């Protein structure tokens, strides 16, 4: 006997999770002895995730989370600041 099946996440939720996982891996690499990721690559991934979140919110108004969007924008701004003050390689 099986219980009721849980609804599967939609494609946009899966894409958002994959983008977040990629950001997490890139940020963990230096802690594991890997190279520093390009801040611009992390910014691109965060902007893509923000775009996916906005698309999901347009489809489902219950997913509107302005505080989360603001946090993503603050992180993106901080990364641009860090990248601009970084000495050239």
């Amino acid at each position: 006997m099986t219980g009721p099946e849980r609804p599967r996440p939609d494609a946009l939720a899966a894409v958002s999770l994959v983008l977040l996982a990629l950001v997490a891996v890139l940020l963990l690499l230096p802690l594991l002895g890997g190279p520093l990721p390009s801040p611009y690559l992390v910014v691109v991934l965060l902007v893509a995730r923000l775009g996916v979140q906005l698309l999901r919110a347009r489809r489902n108004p219950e997913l509107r989370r302005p505080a989360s969007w603001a946090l993503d924008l603050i992180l993106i701004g901080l990364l641009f600041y860090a990248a601009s003050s970084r000495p050239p390689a």
Side-chain angles (χ1 to χ4, degrees), residues 1-59:
M1 183 171 138
T2 61
E5 290 189 30
R6 290 180 18 182
R8 294 183 57 109
D10 63 344
L12 287 176
V15 169
S16 179
L17 182 62
V18 167
L19 290 170
L20 191 60
L22 284 172
V23 169
V25 167
L26 284 175
L27 295 178
L28 282 174
L29 276 177
L31 296 175
L32 300 173
L36 280 173
S38 166
Y40 297 112
L41 177 60
V42 177
V43 165
V44 167
L45 290 173
L46 285 174
V47 167
R49 182 174 177 270
L50 183 60
V52 169
Q53 286 179 337
L54 292 173
L55 278 174
R56 288 181 67 209
R58 281 186 80 185
R59 291 183 179 186

